[in-house]
Amino acid sequence: MSQIKNVAVAGATGNIGLATINALHAAGFTVTALSRGGSTAGIPAGIRVATVDYTSVESLTEALKGQDAVVSCVGAFGLAAQPNIVEAASAVGVKRFIPAEFGADTLNPQTRAFPILKDKIQIQEMLAEKYEQSGMTYSLLFTGLFLDWGLENGMILGVESRKGTLYDGGKTVISTSTIATVAKGITGCLLHPEETKNRGVYIQDTAISQNRLVELTNKVNPGDWDLKEASTVDLEKQASAAHERNDPNPMTMVGSVFRMYFGGEAYGQPFKKLDNELCGIKGLSDEEVETIIRSI
């Protein structure tokens, strides 16, 4: 066991949060689920639940006393709460903080320039400051798009509906990870705190293109597709225009998301140097990707 034993998980009832709780518990950590309003939906029996108010540093400070690490699994609309969580964690002597990254490489200069990522960049800067002030370390876990989730809801492709959008012709190879592998990567960071200290940690199950996913889906279940095409350059321009006019609808910025994932090497896709071995991640073969496709 690493020097980290007690771990609090924020955003505990989401997809990533629940998978993380299960992975940490299986690895022998003592896990506390932070819950807004005391919800225990899906949280396994035996896991301590602490009710918190994410708008209150005082509430979070009380909940985080005695914790060695904090993992933030809050969703996109919960990112605004992260500064309070960081503030509280630093105040009570937490050793390691893992913020809600779990996606594109936000250390890449091209990627981090997108306005849609400002909350994540703010947290990175705050964590660097807190390390100097209190010694609280951090790990930034980059996983690429969620493979299973992205095939289920159509973010990558709709393998059940056989519909989707091919970005830049569908040929860009991107890093992807299943939700279970994201949780395994988080666990790996805490099992190897020195090796993952104050840096980006990169994992993936497979680097694959949309076109290859269409081919694998056709092997599993042959049939016709309803596929559109879109240019990520055009989508980025639309997102930039929305930002310039201060469009209050966050969905107008989604074009930036597709650009950062499908824009290729300029945005760090696919990942070049991986920490899979350190985190105990074997990766997926095409046959194992086909198994995921069959399950959807």
Side-chain angles (χ1 to χ4, degrees), residues 96-99 101-107 124 138-144 175 177 181-182 184-190 192-204 271-281:
R96 175 64 49 92
F97 195 102
I98 300 180
E101 287 284 347
F102 321 136
D105 178 6
T106 56
L107 294 178
Q124 291 179 9
Y138 58 89
S139 299
L140 308 174
L141 181 65
F142 304 121
T143 64
S175 292
S177 300
T181 292
V182 175
K184 193 167 187 177
I186 291 168
T187 304
C189 288
L190 298 182
H192 302 283
E194 284 303 314
E195 298 93 327
T196 60
K197 175 183 174 181
N198 296 351
R199 72 174 181 91
V201 179
Y202 297 82
I203 64 170
Q204 69 179 32
F271 301 152
K272 298 302 182 186
K273 185 178 180 181
L274 296 174
D275 294 288
N276 278 17
E277 184 176 355
L278 177 66
C279 293
I281 295 165

Side-chain angles (χ1 to χ4, degrees), residues 103-258:
D105 178 6
T106 56
L107 294 178
N108 175 280
Q110 292 271 84
T111 303
R112 71 188 286 114
F114 286 119
I116 198 172
L117 295 175
K118 63 181 178 62
D119 288 333
K120 289 189 174 184
I121 305 308
Q122 175 193 11
I123 288 301
Q124 291 179 9
E125 294 170 349
M126 187 176 182
L127 287 170
E129 291 174 1
K130 291 301 181 185
Y131 173 65
E132 296 298 327
Q133 294 170 4
S134 70
M136 183 175 72
T137 61
Y138 58 89
S139 299
L140 308 174
L141 181 65
F142 304 121
T143 64
L145 280 174
F146 302 156
L147 180 62
D148 44 356
W149 182 85
L151 295 178
E152 287 172 1
N153 68 19
M155 176 75 176
I156 300 175
L157 278 175
V159 298
E160 184 176 23
S161 65
R162 305 184 77 83
K163 296 180 180 180
T165 300
L166 297 178
Y167 299 101
D168 297 336
K171 62 183 181 296
T172 306
V173 175
I174 62 171
S175 292
T176 65
S177 300
T178 64
I179 287 175
T181 292
V182 175
K184 193 167 187 177
I186 291 168
T187 304
C189 288
L190 298 182
L191 287 171
H192 302 283
E194 284 303 314
E195 298 93 327
T196 60
K197 175 183 174 181
N198 296 351
R199 72 174 181 91
V201 179
Y202 297 82
I203 64 170
Q204 69 179 32
D205 273 315
T206 184
I208 197 165
S209 70
Q210 289 179 294
N211 289 337
R212 182 57 177 158
L213 286 167
V214 169
E215 293 173 359
L216 295 179
T217 302
N218 284 337
K219 284 183 64 178
V220 172
N221 182 24
D224 296 329
W225 287 80
D226 178 10
L227 295 172
K228 302 174 182 179
E229 294 204 11
S231 161
T232 60
V233 172
D234 291 342
L235 292 173
E236 181 186 0
K237 289 178 179 177
Q238 294 168 18
S240 295
H243 176 66
E244 289 296 323
R245 65 174 182 267
N246 294 316
D247 194 317
N249 181 0
M251 293 309 295
T252 60
M253 301 290 288
V254 76
S256 299
V257 176
F258 294 114

Side-chain angles (χ1 to χ4, degrees), residues 7-137:
V7 184
V9 179
T13 58
N15 289 334
I16 298 297
L18 287 173
T20 298
I21 286 173
N22 286 320
L24 291 171
H25 182 65
F29 292 99
T30 300
V31 183
T32 296
L34 303 184
S35 174
R36 181 177 51 199
S39 172
T40 59
I43 296 176
I47 299 297
R48 176 176 173 265
V49 177
T51 301
V52 296
D53 176 0
Y54 285 116
T55 68
S56 167
V57 174
E58 182 179 358
S59 169
L60 290 162
T61 299
E62 185 62 31
L64 295 180
K65 288 179 179 177
Q67 299 297 322
D68 299 313
V70 174
V71 181
S72 176
C73 297
V74 297
F77 294 105
L79 292 177
Q82 282 199 120
N84 286 347
I85 306 172
V86 171
E87 194 68 51
S90 177
V92 297
V94 165
K95 299 174 184 176
R96 175 64 49 92
F97 195 102
I98 300 180
E101 287 284 347
F102 321 136
D105 178 6
T106 56
L107 294 178
N108 175 280
Q110 292 271 84
T111 303
R112 71 188 286 114
F114 286 119
I116 198 172
L117 295 175
K118 63 181 178 62
D119 288 333
K120 289 189 174 184
I121 305 308
Q122 175 193 11
I123 288 301
Q124 291 179 9
E125 294 170 349
M126 187 176 182
L127 287 170
E129 291 174 1
K130 291 301 181 185
Y131 173 65
E132 296 298 327
Q133 294 170 4
S134 70
M136 183 175 72
T137 61

